[in-house]
Amino acid sequence: MPSDAPPDEVPTSDAPPDEVPVEEPKTEEPKAEEPKAETPETVVPEGPERPPEPTLGNGKFKAKGTGLMISGGVLLGAGLVGVITSYFLTRCPEEQIENSFACKNRQHNTFAVPATGAAALLGAVLLIVGLTYRARYKRWENWDPTRAKTAFRPNFTANGVSFKF
């Protein structure tokens, strides 16, 4: 029997235990609803012509561009520092060809400068895309139906085609 085993040993029997403690559900008394303080909510303009919210990943994520701007700024800064540093560490003037630290590392010039330049270029692209996403999101966020653009639209009738505002 499982109860015959000492408390520090694991029972080896496959038989179910004799007693299983069962917790009885507690009944909660209904609380009186407290009046909630009114908090100012952000007003999102709604309307029939409101454009959809800019999203990424089939609507899973808001396309604010913050992450792209952060990573782009970091990569651009690190890439520019890397280009300048690798240029000065691998530059070799012809008159100091034997005695310079840079001349000993001259063969790395063909890899270090382009690699850090590529990182800086990637950072610039990410920053531009992030700023574009941010501008698009802000334009959606500040959308106002009174400032909605009016445009001509075609109207097809049985008598012909006309344009409406």
Side-chain angles (χ1 to χ4, degrees), residues 65-121:
T66 307
L68 289 170
M69 290 188 297
I70 292 170
S71 60
V74 168
L75 267 176
L76 180 62
L80 289 177
V81 167
V83 167
I84 293 168
T85 304
S86 61
Y87 172 74
F88 284 117
L89 286 177
T90 58
R91 164 178 85 130
C92 181
E94 293 300 324
E95 62 270 0
Q96 299 177 0
I97 204 154
E98 294 295 325
N99 300 329
S100 173
F101 173 78
C103 289
K104 293 177 185 174
N105 293 315
R106 180 174 43 182
Q107 70 274 12
H108 301 299
N109 191 12
T110 58
F111 175 73
V113 175
T116 55
L121 182 63

Side-chain angles (χ1 to χ4, degrees), residues 130-161:
L131 288 171
T132 305
Y133 277 16
R134 183 70 171 177
R136 185 176 63 175
Y137 190 81
K138 282 296 185 183
R139 188 172 55 237
W140 173 84
E141 195 174 49
N142 297 328
W143 181 83
D144 185 12
T146 59
R147 294 185 317 181
K149 297 177 182 176
T150 57
F152 286 115
R153 63 177 187 201
N155 183 29
F156 300 102
T157 63
N159 298 332
V161 178

Side-chain angles (χ1 to χ4, degrees), residues 118-135:
L121 182 63
L122 176 62
V125 168
L126 288 174
L127 190 60
I128 290 169
V129 171
L131 288 171
T132 305
Y133 277 16
R134 183 70 171 177

Side-chain angles (χ1 to χ4, degrees), residues 38-46 50 53 62 64 137-138 140-143:
E38 293 185 23
T39 57
E41 297 179 14
T42 55
V43 178
V44 177
E46 296 295 330
R50 181 171 175 77
E53 180 178 12
K62 294 180 180 179
K64 290 185 176 183
Y137 190 81
K138 282 296 185 183
W140 173 84
E141 195 174 49
N142 297 328
W143 181 83

